[in-house]
Amino acid sequence: MRLLVIEDEVRLLRNLAKALREEGYAVDTAADGEEGLYKAQNSDYDAIVLDVMLPGLDGWQVLARLRKTRKTPVLFLTARDTTADRIRGLDGGGDDYLVKPFDLSELFARLRALIRRAADRPSPEIALGEVKIDTRARTVSVGGQPVPLTAKEYMILEYLAHHRGKVITRTELYEHVFDERADTMSNLLDVHVYNLRKKLACDLIVTRRGLGYCIEE
Ligand code: CA
């Protein structure tokens, strides 16, 4: 899952990106509205964390312009908890909001919920035959036995599981698992998939030659 965080407070931006990466997300960052809007319009993010108070183009303007072309889930961050702000954000096409200061655990939970909703998968638990994925705890088990995965392996599995029934191209998968800091070592993706399959020890992830990867419904 790849996120974009748009926030002009440099320390908060850095801390958010670090915390989200530790959760396993690929995270791109933008320190102002213009840069954030550009990235949001040009990449397919799973969710965007958008600060409202930004110099230049503010969060409301970023959201309004983004909604002309993209439906990417947006969680906006407001400095004050006023009803008017919340209504404005939600009416403007925002999907959720958090009031600063907030707990990271709440941000994580809200992002997980946004991503599930966007994929039209309301349940936090995904059962695929013997394989069970708990998206809250980020744990995976096969036949009741826990299978420890790396953050990247987990993200690959969760992305394919959220989009099960669809063939996901290697490019799409790469873009949702790695962020702008990653080297373009595309064969690394195959290594993660190879290791993931070995750990799951079942043929859950199907390769469609020349097309990509797929988990069947
Ligand atoms: Ca701000």
Side-chain angles (χ1 to χ4, degrees):
M1 303 294 163
R2 185 172 177 184
L3 308 175
L4 173 63
V5 182
I6 309 173
E7 167 62 67
D8 62 313
E9 287 164 55
V10 177
R11 259 187 74 186
L12 180 57
L13 179 62
R14 207 168 44 214
N15 290 342
L16 280 178
K18 182 167 175 280
L20 289 164
R21 284 185 188 121
E22 282 167 6
E23 280 290 290
Y25 291 104
V27 184
D28 290 352
T29 59
D32 63 61
E34 280 82 5
E35 186 193 4
L37 180 62
Y38 178 81
K39 288 184 177 178
Q41 285 172 329
N42 290 286
S43 286
D44 187 16
Y45 293 103
D46 295 288
I48 297 171
V49 178
L50 174 62
D51 184 32
V52 168
M53 301 296 280
L54 295 167
L57 213 55
D58 69 20
W60 310 123
Q61 292 168 310
V62 170
L63 186 61
R65 295 192 196 179
L66 180 66
R67 280 290 172 265
K68 289 180 185 165
T69 55
R70 280 185 185 267
K71 292 187 292 185
T72 317
V74 170
L75 183 150
F76 59 94
L77 303 177
T78 63
R80 316 162 287 163
D81 186 12
T82 68
T83 309
D85 271 9
R86 274 176 281 158
I87 291 172
R88 187 172 176 192
L90 296 170
D91 274 351
D95 301 274
D96 201 359
Y97 71 95
L98 261 180
V99 179
K100 291 178 179 178
F102 50 83
D103 276 345
L104 279 176
S105 54
E106 187 174 3
L107 175 70
F108 297 158
R110 287 179 182 275
L111 285 171
R112 288 195 296 270
L114 274 189
I115 291 168
R116 281 201 306 272
R117 244 187 285 153
D120 218 4
R121 307 286 187 192
S123 170
E125 281 165 9
I126 304 171
L128 305 157
E130 289 281 273
V131 180
K132 304 254 185 308
I133 306 169
D134 184 335
T135 62
R136 288 164 303 191
R138 303 186 162 248
T139 54
V140 174
S141 65
V142 180
Q145 295 298 310
V147 177
L149 299 180
T150 66
K152 283 283 175 264
E153 289 161 3
Y154 176 82
M155 271 302 158
I156 290 169
L157 180 62
E158 191 186 303
Y159 190 81
L160 292 173
H162 273 313
H163 301 277
R164 58 192 178 269
K166 276 189 257 174
V167 177
I168 305 298
T169 65
R170 293 176 70 261
T171 308
E172 179 179 347
L173 192 55
Y174 186 92
E175 282 174 357
H176 286 270
V177 174
F178 295 97
D179 56 40
E180 59 195 358
R181 304 178 314 160
D183 299 326
T184 43
M185 290 172 65
S186 58
N187 58 350
L188 215 57
L189 179 70
D190 297 328
V191 174
H192 289 298
V193 174
Y194 174 83
N195 291 334
L196 174 59
R197 278 175 165 154
K198 219 163 66 177
K199 287 182 183 178
L200 296 176
C202 61
D203 49 8
L204 181 71
I205 301 168
V206 179
T207 303
R208 294 285 171 76
R209 215 154 280 288
L211 294 172
Y213 298 110
C214 177
I215 290 178
E216 282 160 359
E217 282 276 16

